[in-house]
Amino acid sequence: MPLKTSEKTTRKKAVMPIRSRIDYTSKARMNKIFAALDKLFPNAQCALKHENAFQLLVATILSAQCTDTRVNMVTPGLFQKYPTPQDFAALRPEVLAEDIRSTGFFRNKAKNIVGAAKKIVSDFGGQVPRTMEELLSLPGVARKTANVVLGTAYGLATGIVVDTHVFRFAHRLKLSQEQSPEKVEQDLMKIVPKDRWITFSHQVIWFGRKVCLARKPLCATCPIEKICDAPDKTV
Ligand code: SF4
C-alpha cells in the first residue's frame, strides 16, 4: 500500500543520517571558528616580505608553487637590484628568470612580472592599481594575488584570499564543496563578515601552515577539533 505523504516524511526523517542535518555554515559554528582563529593568531599578517604594493605583487606572483620562506630569500636582493616597477619593466624576461630561478616555474613568472610591470608603468602611472578589475588586467594576476595586494598593501576588503591552505580549510570544515578557488571564495564571502575578510585570510593561511597541515593535520591539539568532521582527521 502506498505511503501517505506524512508517513513518507516521517520515514525519510528516521533514516536521514545525523551528519547531513548539521548546518556547517551556521553563525554559531562560524563564530566558534573565528574565536579560535583570533585566539591562535591575534596579529596574523602576510608572511611575504615587502615594503610597498609593487614588491608585494612581485612576491605574491613568485609564491605560486613555492614556499614563502624561499620567496623571502630571493626578494630582498631582487628589490635591491631592481628597486622600481620601471626597472622591472625594462628587463628582458630571460634576465629576470635567472634571478628568480630558485622559486620554480621561473620562466613563466619572469614573463608575468615583466608584463605586469610594463602595464603598471604604461597604464597606471607606475602605481599598482587599487581595484580588482584593474589588477586582474595584469599578466599573471588572478583573484588570489589581487586579494593579497588589495587587502595587505591597501587595506581594501574586496574578497578572501583562497590559496592552497584556505582551500583545504574550507573543504575540511565543510564550508564549501566547490572545486575552484573562485567558487570557494564566493562561498566564504557569504559566511565570513566583510570586516573579517582580510584578517580571516591571514589567519587561515597561518592555521593551514601551523595546525591544519596538508598531510597529518595536528588534530589532537586543534581548538576546533570538536566541530570538525574532516574525513582525514588524525584523531
Ligand atoms: S581537527 Fe584536524 S582537520 Fe579539522 S580543522 Fe583541526 S587540524 Fe584541521
Side-chain angles (χ1 to χ4, degrees), residues 61-67 93 96-98 100-113:
I61 293 174
L62 291 177
S63 71
Q65 311 289 318
C66 180
T67 65
L96 178 60
E98 287 311 309
I100 61 170
R101 180 179 273 271
S102 66
T103 67
F105 300 94
F106 53 94
R107 287 192 192 88
N108 209 28
K109 288 177 183 176
K111 206 171 96 199
N112 285 334
I113 290 169

Side-chain angles (χ1 to χ4, degrees), residues 96-163:
L96 178 60
E98 287 311 309
D99 290 301
I100 61 170
R101 180 179 273 271
S102 66
T103 67
F105 300 94
F106 53 94
R107 287 192 192 88
N108 209 28
K109 288 177 183 176
K111 206 171 96 199
N112 285 334
I113 290 169
V114 171
K118 278 188 199 300
K119 196 159 168 60
I120 286 168
V121 171
S122 64
D123 295 8
F124 301 109
Q127 300 295 318
V128 175
R130 289 172 174 260
T131 68
M132 177 61 74
E133 196 187 349
E134 289 170 324
L135 275 166
L136 292 179
S137 74
L138 302 175
V141 176
R143 279 194 68 93
K144 185 200 85 171
T145 302
N147 276 323
V148 170
V149 172
L150 291 169
T152 300
Y154 293 143
L156 298 170
T158 47
I160 292 173
V161 177
V162 179
D163 72 345

